[in-house]
Amino acid sequence: MNASTASGYLEHGTTAERWERARLFFDAKEYATAARVLGTVTAEAPEQLAPRLLLARAYYHSAQLSPAERELRAILDRWPVEDYAQLMLGRTLERQGRAAEAAPYLRIAAAMAGEFPE
């Protein structure tokens, strides 16, 4: 399959079909490919949280940390009480060597999960 054929396959179908295809790629640990598909899904349905979280996870797992950070910040702008996005942003920042910047997000995620320091 050449690059244009692969691109056509990834972008083909309804939003729901591409969402399902992206989940299959993600489950197969094909994170970069899942991110390519999810980019089209989230562009068409930016109000849907699940595809945006999966896109951020796909970026994170494929070591695309800057795009993961951008997506997570956009999610938190829209859904500030999304605890998993708080956790993921903290982990993404940690992975970039930005532990001090990550700490508040990790504390918020822990508090939202009911984990309080003793």
Side-chain angles (χ1 to χ4, degrees):
M1 186 180 302
N2 66 34
S4 65
T5 304
S7 179
Y9 168 72
L10 296 176
E11 297 168 3
H12 177 74
T14 66
T15 305
E17 289 168 340
R18 281 180 282 119
W19 163 241
E20 193 57 39
R21 186 176 308 125
R23 290 177 48 198
L24 291 171
F25 280 118
F26 188 90
D27 290 345
K29 296 183 177 13
E30 295 287 338
Y31 302 118
T33 304
R36 285 179 51 203
V37 177
L38 287 162
T40 68
V41 173
T42 59
E44 290 177 22
E47 72 287 352
Q48 295 295 317
L49 176 60
R52 295 188 72 175
L53 276 173
L54 193 60
L55 175 58
R57 291 177 62 202
Y59 283 145
Y60 179 86
H61 288 301
S62 61
Q64 298 179 67
L65 301 178
S66 291
E69 179 184 349
R70 279 193 304 275
E71 188 61 33
L72 290 162
R73 289 186 187 280
I75 289 168
L76 290 172
D77 282 347
R78 191 166 194 165
W79 296 281
V81 296
E82 178 52 51
D83 62 324
Y84 189 65
Q86 298 277 354
L87 175 65
M88 281 189 61
L89 182 54
R91 296 255 171 92
T92 300
L93 293 169
E94 277 183 331
R95 197 167 164 193
Q96 293 177 33
R98 297 159 58 191
E101 196 176 338
Y105 295 101
L106 296 173
R107 279 194 303 272
I108 290 169
M112 291 173 127
E115 301 167 10
F116 300 100
E118 295 180 20

